[in-house]
Amino acid sequence: MPDSPPRPWIRPRDQTSLLALVTSLLVMMASYWLYHGGHEGKLIDIDRADPLEARFLVDINRADWPEMIQLPGLGETMARRIISDRQQRGPFHSVEQLDRVNGIGPRTMERLRPYLMPIPVDTDWATSDLQLNDNESPAIRN
């Protein structure tokens, strides 16, 4: 066979159609880019949502110092003092009892109060649900 020129991958008529398609796509992309700000840098318009607010509450009778230092204005030293006081004197019966810890004053209490879980009032749950007669004791009834 005589040497024939290599056959093109895309026929000349198809090449013209493909060129027209690619050119039109580039024109549309450039138009979109210019419409949305172009070279001025206004391409991205981000909607600003209100910041989410997470409520972080700490139980001062159960929390360890790493959890307590997440509270505003409370460092590691103060958190360790609270835990030490809790271990020596027993659990806090109210949030106001935090002022027994050295270094916690009224301003610190006001800053911490929104982040502290309320401490339930001590009640004797086992006997409060029982309805006792005059001659029964609060022990186990039959």
Side-chain angles (χ1 to χ4, degrees):
M1 262 198 197
D3 286 339
S4 62
R7 190 169 170 208
W9 184 60
I10 300 175
R11 294 182 305 198
R13 190 174 48 197
D14 294 338
Q15 288 178 358
T16 306
S17 300
L18 187 61
L19 178 64
L21 179 66
V22 169
T23 303
S24 64
L25 286 175
L26 287 174
V27 167
M28 287 191 301
M29 287 173 48
S31 300
Y32 180 82
W33 179 70
L34 286 172
Y35 178 75
H36 287 287
H39 64 282
E40 294 176 9
K42 298 179 181 176
L43 288 177
I44 299 174
D45 187 23
I46 299 174
D47 292 335
R48 298 287 178 184
D50 293 332
L52 296 176
E53 189 174 312
R55 182 130 183 187
F56 178 71
L57 296 176
V58 174
D59 182 356
I60 58 172
N61 285 325
R62 293 186 182 157
D64 289 329
W65 70 268
E67 187 177 356
M68 285 189 190
I69 63 173
Q70 303 299 316
L71 297 172
L74 203 66
E76 181 179 345
T77 305
M78 187 60 66
R80 289 187 185 271
R81 277 191 212 160
I82 292 171
I83 293 171
S84 175
D85 185 273
R86 184 176 70 198
Q87 290 170 346
Q88 291 174 359
R89 297 183 184 179
F92 298 97
H93 298 289
S94 69
V95 172
E96 286 73 27
Q97 280 191 331
L98 263 178
D99 66 357
R100 74 185 191 196
V101 178
N102 186 20
I104 296 185
R107 278 191 272 166
T108 306
M109 282 296 298
E110 289 307 312
R111 197 170 46 235
L112 295 177
R113 192 178 310 278
Y115 302 99
L116 299 177
M117 290 180 71
I119 299 173
V121 178
D122 288 339
T123 58
D124 188 3
W125 295 101
T127 58
S128 65
D129 291 339
L130 297 176
Q131 295 178 358
L132 302 175
N133 293 332
D134 293 336
N135 57 358
E136 287 183 323
S137 67
I140 300 173
R141 297 187 304 179
N142 292 333

